[in-house]
Amino acid sequence: MLCFLLSFLSFLIVLSKSLTGKPIGFWESLSSSLSSQHRKSEVAFSFSEVPPTMSVNKDNLVPKVGSGEEACKFSPLDLPDLALDCVLEKLSPADLCNMASVCPSLRERCRSDYLWEKHIERKWGKVIGASAYRQWRWYVASRNREKIFHRRNQKGIFASLQSFSPFQWIKTKSGNGRQSGRSVLPDDSFMALYLSLENGKFWFPAQVYNRENGHAGFMLSCYDAQLCYDSRTDTFQARYLPHARWSMEENIHWDRLRMPPIDISSHVLYTSDRLDDLKPGDHIEIQWRRNKDYPYGWWYGVVGHLESCQGHVNHCHCHFSDMVVLEFKQYALGCRWRQAVIDRKHHREEGDEVDGFYGGIRKLYGEEEIRMWTSLWPDKLVE
C-alpha cells in the first residue's frame, strides 16, 4: 500500500510539472516525508532481526562516522571468552541479574552454575552443607510435582471448554505468537538456589549455637534447626523440633550458625572415633539429649583428670585408663552436669532419665572450632 501511494504521488508530481512547469510544493513535501518514514521502518525492522549473539542495544549497532572512518561503540561480547568470564566473576549477584537481561548470550553466561556456585560459597559456605543441598534437591522435585499436578487439574477442568471455538482461537493465537525472549530459570540451578536462599523461600538445615537466645539450659550447645534468611535484617529465623512440636527463634545472627560437621540425623547415635587418643586438656563435642524421645544436640567440653590423678601433669597416667572424665565447665562445681565419666573401650550411649543420655564424641582438632566455642562462654556459670 505504501509503495502504491508513493507511486501515485510521484505520478501527481510529474503531472503537475507537465501542466505548470513547476513542482507542486505540498505534494513534494508529503512525498519526501513518507519516503523518510518508509526508510525508518526498514531500519527498525533490521533491529528486530539482530542475531542472539549480539547486543540488543541499538546505540551499539549504529555506526559513528568520524574522519572518514566508521567506529562502533564497544560491546562486552566483543571480549574474548576468557576475558568476559573474568569480568563476570567480579560482578555482584545483583549486577549479574541485571547483566542477564541485556541479551540471550549474556543471559546464558550470567546464569551459569560456575559463577553462582562461587557466590553461594562466598556468602553461604559457612552454613550450607551436604544436608542442605540434599534438601534443596528434594524441594525442587516437590515443586515440580506440584506444577505437574496443577497442570493436570487445569487440563481436566478446562478440557471440555477448549473444544469451543473462542478457546481454540486463543490457543492458536498463543501458539503462533512470538515468544517473549526470556527463558525460564532452571529450578535446579545454583542461581535459583541463591535467589531462593536470599528471598527466604527455602528453609534449609543447619545448626545454631546457644539456642533460644542464649537460654541458660543450652549454654555451649549446638542444635539442628531449619533456617530461613531475612535479607532486610541480615538475620535468620529458626525452627527447632525438640519433641512433638516446633519451637521458634528469630533474629539469629551469622556468628551463631554453622554447617553440621557430621552429616547424620540428630536422632542417630554418632559412632565415636579416636577415643584411645583422648587425654586431659583435649577439646571435645559430645551428643547429649534429655531423654530418648528428644534429638541429640552437640555440647562442648574438655577431657579432665581422674580423681586418683589429682591433676598432676608430670605424673598423669589418665590416658592409659579405660575411664575418661569429661568436664563441662560452663556449669558450676557441684552441678550434676559438671562431669561425666565414659568407658573409652565400650562407649555407646550412657546415662539415664535424670541426668540425660551421653552419645557419640568428636575430638576437636581445628583451632577455629575451639575458638568458636570459647567465644560463646557465658558471663556467669550455670547453676
Side-chain angles (χ1 to χ4, degrees):
M1 177 61 75
L2 183 59
C3 293
F4 174 76
L5 183 57
L6 290 174
S7 300
F8 178 69
L9 292 176
S10 300
F11 171 74
L12 290 179
I13 293 173
V14 172
L15 181 61
S16 171
K17 286 183 177 181
S18 64
L19 294 176
T20 63
K22 295 181 180 179
I24 303 174
F26 169 77
W27 293 109
E28 186 178 26
S29 300
L30 180 59
S31 176
S32 176
S33 176
L34 289 173
S35 298
S36 176
Q37 293 297 326
H38 178 61
R39 287 193 298 271
K40 288 181 180 179
S41 67
E42 288 181 342
V43 174
F45 177 76
S46 68
F47 284 126
S48 67
E49 301 299 323
V50 174
T53 56
M54 296 179 62
S55 172
V56 296
N57 187 343
K58 297 179 182 180
D59 291 338
N60 289 346
L61 301 175
V62 178
K64 305 294 182 181
V65 180
S67 302
E69 296 182 358
E70 293 186 352
C72 294
K73 286 187 176 180
F74 174 77
S75 169
L77 293 173
D78 296 331
L79 291 171
D81 289 345
L82 181 60
L84 180 56
D85 288 340
C86 290
V87 172
L88 295 179
E89 286 180 10
K90 303 298 182 181
L91 297 181
S92 68
D95 289 335
L96 273 179
C97 290
N98 291 332
M99 185 69 78
S101 64
V102 172
C103 68
S105 291
L106 283 177
R107 178 170 62 240
E108 197 69 24
R109 286 179 176 272
C110 294
R111 290 180 175 182
S112 71
D113 285 345
Y114 170 75
L115 294 174
W116 287 94
E117 187 175 9
K118 290 180 177 292
H119 284 295
I120 289 176
E121 178 62 28
R122 189 174 298 121
K123 181 170 184 178
W124 301 95
K126 177 185 174 182
V127 295
I128 294 292
S131 58
Y133 284 110
R134 187 165 55 249
Q135 185 159 311
W136 169 251
R137 290 192 293 270
W138 177 88
Y139 173 77
V140 170
S142 177
R143 287 178 58 189
N144 289 337
R145 285 195 298 268
E146 289 179 2
K147 291 177 183 178
I148 294 173
F149 180 76
H150 181 67
R151 283 197 297 267
R152 286 177 178 175
N153 282 350
Q154 282 188 328
K155 184 177 180 181
I157 294 173
F158 294 105
S160 58
L161 295 177
Q162 288 179 353
S163 61
F164 291 100
S165 58
F167 292 93
Q168 189 66 32
W169 177 82
I170 292 172
K171 181 179 179 181
T172 303
K173 291 289 287 184
S174 62
N176 295 334
R178 181 176 295 177
Q179 294 183 352
S180 62
R182 288 191 176 186
S183 61
V184 178
L185 180 65
D187 289 336
D188 59 350
S189 65
F190 280 104
M191 181 179 179
L193 172 58
Y194 186 95
L195 297 179
S196 294
L197 289 168
E198 194 73 20
N199 60 31
K201 290 183 178 180
F202 174 53
W203 289 75
F204 62 93
Q207 292 184 343
V208 182
Y209 292 101
N210 290 2
R211 55 176 285 187
E212 298 183 16
N213 295 316
H215 187 282
F218 294 100
M219 283 296 179
L220 296 189
S221 69
C222 199
Y223 275 81
D224 285 2
Q226 291 289 320
L227 296 172
C228 174
Y229 180 63
D230 185 350
S231 59
R232 296 170 301 175
T233 59
D234 194 29
T235 60
F236 294 83
Q237 181 180 2
R239 296 187 301 194
Y240 308 101
L241 184 60
H243 185 39
R245 62 181 181 84
W246 291 100
S247 61
M248 307 291 294
E249 182 182 355
E250 297 180 344
N251 300 319
I252 301 173
H253 293 276
W254 287 86
D255 58 359
R256 288 180 54 204
L257 304 179
R258 76 172 181 181
M259 178 198 313
I262 300 173
D263 187 23
I264 61 172
S265 167
S266 57
H267 290 275
V268 175
L269 177 68
Y270 171 65
T271 302
S272 304
D273 59 347
R274 309 296 297 273
L275 295 186
D276 291 340
D277 294 341
L278 292 180
K279 61 184 183 301
D282 285 345
H283 302 263
I284 58 98
E285 290 180 11
I286 187 170
Q287 289 178 313
W288 182 86
R289 57 182 173 179
R290 181 172 292 277
N291 62 56
K292 294 196 174 184
D293 292 327
Y294 279 66
Y296 286 112
W298 287 98
W299 293 74
Y300 170 74
V302 294
V303 178
H305 292 274
L306 295 169
E307 186 175 354
S308 58
C309 178
Q310 298 181 351
H312 294 297
V313 178
N314 295 331
H315 304 284
C316 179
H317 295 86
C318 293
H319 56 286
F320 296 117
S321 173
D322 289 344
M323 307 309 294
V324 179
V325 175
L326 306 178
E327 291 189 325
F328 306 96
K329 296 183 178 181
Q330 65 270 34
Y331 294 98
L333 290 172
C335 179
R336 68 174 185 266
W337 290 303
R338 170 77 181 202
Q339 282 189 350
V341 180
I342 59 105
D343 185 342
R344 76 170 81 218
K345 296 293 185 182
H346 307 287
H347 175 67
R348 293 291 291 170
E349 184 181 59
E350 301 178 17
D352 53 44
E353 296 290 339
V354 176
D355 295 333
F357 295 87
Y358 296 88
I361 299 173
R362 291 181 60 235
K363 181 178 177 179
L364 302 181
Y365 297 93
E367 291 296 329
E368 181 61 26
E369 278 190 300
I370 298 171
R371 185 202 63 77
M372 184 63 208
W373 281 114
T374 55
S375 69
L376 298 170
W377 202 266
D379 295 332
K380 61 179 182 179
L381 299 182
V382 181
E383 299 292 337

